[in-house]
Amino acid sequence: MDLQAGEIVTVTRKWSDTWYYGYTNERVGRFPAKYVTDDLSRIVYVRKRPPYSRFYVRARYDYTPAAEKRMTLIKNEIIEILWILSGNWYEGRSLDGKRKGSVPVTFVREIRNGHDDW
């Protein structure tokens, strides 16, 4: 992700020892950890968590992942979203805490004010 000096970036997760994953405005992606700081003395300011840090979604469809780090979904189950990975993926956890992994955004609908308006 391209960053500009003075830009505010929300870090959603640490990708590796040298890379973060996060978002700013409409952009989402990875960027070098050395480009950010909490004290405004370097290139960009980083907020550690998004303002809504966690939210809930309901699975619209069953989903059986092909990749190991992705989470199986059961239609109509509620999932806690821990952070936004990209415009297409969330990191989520089942309410019982037994399953955790990447969740495709198109397979879920956000629950707002206790309703998901299906």
Side-chain angles (χ1 to χ4, degrees):
M1 176 169 73
D2 292 330
L3 300 174
Q4 303 296 316
E7 196 168 24
I8 296 175
V9 178
T10 301
V11 174
T12 55
R13 72 186 265 189
K14 186 176 180 179
W15 186 265
S16 70
D17 287 338
T18 57
W19 289 83
Y20 288 142
Y21 204 93
Y23 66 90
T24 180
N25 298 327
E26 297 297 319
R27 293 172 293 142
V28 175
R30 288 183 292 172
F31 49 91
K34 68 181 181 178
Y35 285 8
V36 298
T37 182
D38 285 333
D39 64 8
L40 299 176
S41 65
R42 295 176 81 189
I43 295 180
V44 295
Y45 176 70
V46 178
R47 285 186 286 173
K48 292 287 186 187
R49 290 187 179 258
Y52 49 84
S53 64
R54 293 186 181 184
F55 58 97
Y56 296 89
V57 297
R58 184 182 305 274
R60 298 172 71 184
Y61 316 102
D62 289 336
Y63 173 69
T64 304
E68 181 180 318
K69 293 183 178 183
R70 298 196 175 147
M71 184 174 154
T72 298
L73 298 177
I74 302 165
K75 184 177 179 176
N76 291 321
E77 80 173 314
I78 296 174
I79 303 296
E80 180 182 17
I81 300 303
L82 306 173
W83 54 76
I84 299 168
L85 298 175
S86 72
N88 298 320
W89 293 93
Y90 294 142
E91 180 75 14
R93 163 175 68 199
S94 62
L95 292 182
D96 64 9
K98 293 181 181 178
R99 292 177 288 126
K100 182 178 174 182
S102 301
V103 175
V105 170
T106 56
F107 280 66
V108 297
R109 176 171 257 158
E110 185 176 351
I111 298 172
R112 296 181 186 170
N113 299 323
H115 304 286
D116 48 23
D117 299 322
W118 285 22

